Each structure stands twice: as C-alpha cells, then as structure tokens.
C-alpha cells in the first residue's frame, strides 16, 4: 500500500540501477561467462564420467552372460543347437605342473573361448590332437628354448614327474608378469588323458554361453538361461552369472570408480561457490551505491 505522502522513487531506483549496470558491464559479462563455464564444467564432467563408465564396459559387451558348470557332451551339443544361443566356449583348468623353476598351469580351452570370452593372440593353430600343446612365448624364453610352431617340446603335464614329447601347434603372445608362472593350452583329447591320470578321469568343463538377449539384469539373465537349460536336462544350480552382469551394471570396472551423482554434486557445489564469490565481490564493490538505492526505497529482494 502506498501512502499519499510517500514519494514514488521507482524511476530514480531504475535510473541508478542502470548506471550501476552500465558502469559494471565488464563485471556482468565476466559473471555471465563464469556461470556458463560452471554449467559447462558440470555437464562436461558428467559426460566424461559417463563416457569412462561406458568405456569400462567395452571388453565385456560381447562376452558370455552365463556359465554352465559340468555339462555333458550331449548337453554341450544341444546348447550349441539352440537358436537363442550365439556361441558356447569350453574351458577347464587341469591343475599345475612344475618344470624346473617354472610353474605351468594346464588349461583346456576351445576356439570360441579363446577368441570371444578371453581373447588370446597366438600364432599357429590351436591344439587338436592328443599330442599337441600351445605354450606362451614367455615360457619358451624363460627355458631358453628356440622352439617354433611345429617343433617338439618335452613337458610334464601331470605333475607326477613323467615327461612326454608334444608337438608345439601354436605359441601364445601373452603379457608378462613378475612370477615364473605360465599357461600351457592342451587339446580336449589331451585334457581327458591328463584327467585320467590326475583327476580320476573326471574332466570338468565350464561352458561359457552367449545368449541372444540384451537383458543385463541378474534375474532376467538367470531366467532366460533357465528357460533354455531346463529342457536340456541342465539343473539351475549349474548356471552361474559371469562378470558380464556386474560390468554392464557398473559394479565391475577398472580404475577409480566414482558415483556419477556424487561427482556432479561436488562439481555443482564448487561451481556455485565460484559464482557466489563473484556475486559477493560485485556487491561489496558497489556497497555505497546499493546503500543509496536502499535509502531511496529499493527493497532487499530488488
């Protein structure tokens, strides 16, 4: 309500305000640019963080979603015949054998596993016969062997002190480590022979299975796999989720993992503090003018 004896200071307030804005035009432009930079910083941080999270998922996108423990040969064949299964990779760990100062990890893995589930670069052809193996280049260097694909190597694959000659069908190009531990890949026929001597003839294979579904939820993947496996005589207790589920849901990844909402919140708080500091500086700089405006009627909100 305006009393009759009150003066209308609106025009004066407006005029003085325009003078303040005109005098501090550069400060106003700097403030606008700072706000724009703060917004860009928040959005940029969000995009970079989201991009890094998606990049961490890349190695897992085409891997198997579930693994089937100890399927029979018939069940493996039936799995491969299913239209809702893209591929099945076989893997079996047969144990360790010591060759002098080196430790050999004996592994059976088929082509699908070594090219799709756990890609491995190698030269030559994967072992097929009962007398063929694939060794790491590091192991050959450690043993001082100048062996090439097609040469014969002598190994003890059972750990019982009994050596035999094997044809080197391929050489794996694996990364180095600090331990004298190496992998030797064998054919399925040779894996069964080693199992006969060390595992009572029981060759336990894990079938890594790629399903034709884009579902990444644990319940969805398990249900999808059970619908395929149950009619084939595979028990649900034989089904396990692989790292695919964890990776696709952001649980598994390399490097430092920071929550995206938390990162955006922290960045937003910092940006708000910078903007507040600039506003505070501008107000302090013009405190005298603002005092004059308040004196002639400008409200605190204005």
């Amino acid at each position: 309500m305006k009393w009759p004896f009150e003066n209308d200071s609106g025009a004066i307030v407006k005029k003085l305000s325009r003078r303040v804005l005109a005098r501090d035009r550069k400060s106003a432009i700097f403030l606008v640019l700072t706000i724009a930079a703060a917004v860009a910083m928040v959005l940029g941080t969000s995009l970079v963080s989201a991009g890094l999270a998606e990049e961490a998922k890349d190695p897992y996108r085409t891997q198997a979603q579930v693994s089937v423990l100890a399927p029979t040969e018939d069940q493996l064949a039936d799995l491969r015949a299913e239209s809702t299964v893209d591929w099945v990779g076989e893997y079996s760990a047969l144990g360790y054998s010591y060759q002098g100062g080196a430790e050999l990890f004996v592994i059976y893995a088929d082509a699908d596993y070594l090219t799709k589930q756990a890609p491995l670069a190698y030269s030559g052809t994967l072992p097929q016969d009962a007398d063929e193996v694939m060794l790491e280049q590091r192991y050959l260097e450690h043993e001082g062997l100048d062996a090439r694909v097609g040469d014969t190597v002598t190994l003890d694959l059972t750990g019982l002190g009994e050596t035999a000659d094997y044809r080197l069908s391929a050489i794996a190009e694996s990364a180095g480590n600090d331990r004298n531990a190496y992998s030797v890949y064998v054919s399925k026929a040779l894996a069964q022979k080693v199992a006969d001597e060390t595992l009572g003839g029981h060759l336990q294979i894990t079938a890594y299975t790629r399903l034709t579904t884009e579902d990444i939820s644990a319940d969805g993947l398990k249900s999808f796999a059970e619908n395929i496996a149950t009619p084939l005589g595979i028990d649900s207790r034989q089904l396990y989720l692989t790292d695919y589920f964890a990776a696709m849901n952001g649980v598994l990844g390399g490097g430092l993992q920071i929550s995206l909402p938390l990162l955006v919140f922290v960045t937003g708080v910092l940006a708000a503090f910078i903007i507040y500091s600039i506003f505070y500086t501008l107000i302090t700089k013009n405190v005298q003018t603002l005092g004059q405006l308040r004196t002639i009627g400008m409200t605190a909100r204005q």
Side-chain angles (χ1 to χ4, degrees):
M1 179 177 179
K2 181 180 177 182
W3 298 100
F5 53 81
E6 285 186 307
N7 295 322
D8 185 3
S9 59
I12 300 175
V13 170
K14 188 178 296 185
K15 185 176 181 180
L16 290 176
S17 298
R18 287 175 179 173
R19 288 182 180 178
V20 172
L21 290 177
R23 187 175 68 244
D24 292 335
R25 190 178 304 277
K26 291 183 179 180
S27 299
I29 293 175
F30 178 70
L31 178 60
V32 171
L33 292 176
T34 302
I35 295 175
V39 172
M41 182 170 62
V42 173
L43 294 178
T45 303
S46 303
L47 290 174
V48 169
S49 180
L52 291 175
E54 290 301 311
E55 185 180 16
K57 299 177 184 178
D58 288 345
Y60 301 90
R61 294 188 190 280
T62 57
Q63 289 187 2
Q65 300 102 320
V66 297
S67 61
V68 183
L69 183 64
T72 65
E73 289 297 321
D74 290 339
Q75 289 171 341
L76 284 171
D78 291 338
L79 271 177
R80 290 190 171 93
E82 286 289 327
S83 60
T84 50
V85 173
D86 280 342
W87 51 265
V88 177
E90 299 180 28
Y91 175 88
S92 180
L94 298 166
Y96 292 91
S97 175
Y98 297 90
Q99 320 286 310
E103 183 181 60
L104 277 182
F105 185 34
V106 186
I107 299 171
Y108 160 63
D110 69 355
D112 282 329
Y113 181 89
L114 292 178
T115 58
K116 299 172 182 176
Q117 179 63 24
L120 178 67
Y122 61 88
S123 57
T125 58
L126 293 178
Q128 298 295 327
D129 299 330
D131 63 344
E132 292 183 336
V133 297
M134 176 172 67
L135 288 167
E136 293 187 49
Q137 179 63 42
R138 293 189 309 112
Y139 173 75
L140 297 176
E141 294 172 354
H142 176 269
E143 293 295 306
L145 299 175
D146 187 22
R148 300 181 181 180
V149 173
D151 290 349
T152 299
V153 293
T154 301
L155 300 170
D156 170 21
L157 298 182
T158 63
L160 301 176
E162 300 176 358
T163 61
D165 292 336
Y166 301 96
R167 178 180 176 272
L168 188 61
S169 67
I171 298 176
E173 302 173 2
S174 54
N177 55 41
D178 296 333
R179 297 176 59 234
N180 291 330
Y182 312 91
S183 298
V184 53
Y185 298 86
V186 301
S187 63
K188 196 169 189 177
L190 183 51
Q192 184 62 63
K193 184 178 178 180
V194 173
D196 290 340
E197 297 183 31
T198 61
L199 302 173
H202 180 60
L203 176 61
Q204 180 172 296
I205 291 175
T206 301
Y208 288 84
T209 309
R210 176 69 188 187
L211 308 172
T212 58
T213 177
E214 298 300 323
D215 198 337
I216 61 173
S217 67
D219 292 339
L221 289 173
K222 198 73 180 291
S223 176
F224 193 93
E226 288 176 353
N227 291 336
I228 299 172
T230 302
L232 303 181
I234 299 174
D235 193 275
S236 61
R237 289 172 295 182
Q238 293 176 257
L239 301 175
Y240 295 89
L241 294 177
T242 65
D243 290 343
Y244 174 90
F245 155 73
M248 292 299 103
N249 287 276
V251 178
L252 182 67
L256 179 63
Q257 300 297 309
I258 302 177
S259 170
L260 180 58
L262 176 62
L263 188 60
V264 173
F265 173 76
V266 172
T267 306
V269 169
L270 292 176
F273 177 76
I274 294 173
I275 294 172
Y276 172 81
S277 298
I278 295 175
F279 266 116
Y280 184 80
T281 301
L282 291 177
I283 293 174
T284 303
K285 180 181 177 181
N286 295 294
V287 64
Q288 184 177 0
T289 303
L290 292 173
Q292 293 173 351
L293 292 173
R294 288 298 305 275
T295 301
I296 61 176
M298 186 180 75
T299 64
R301 183 172 180 79
Q302 289 175 325

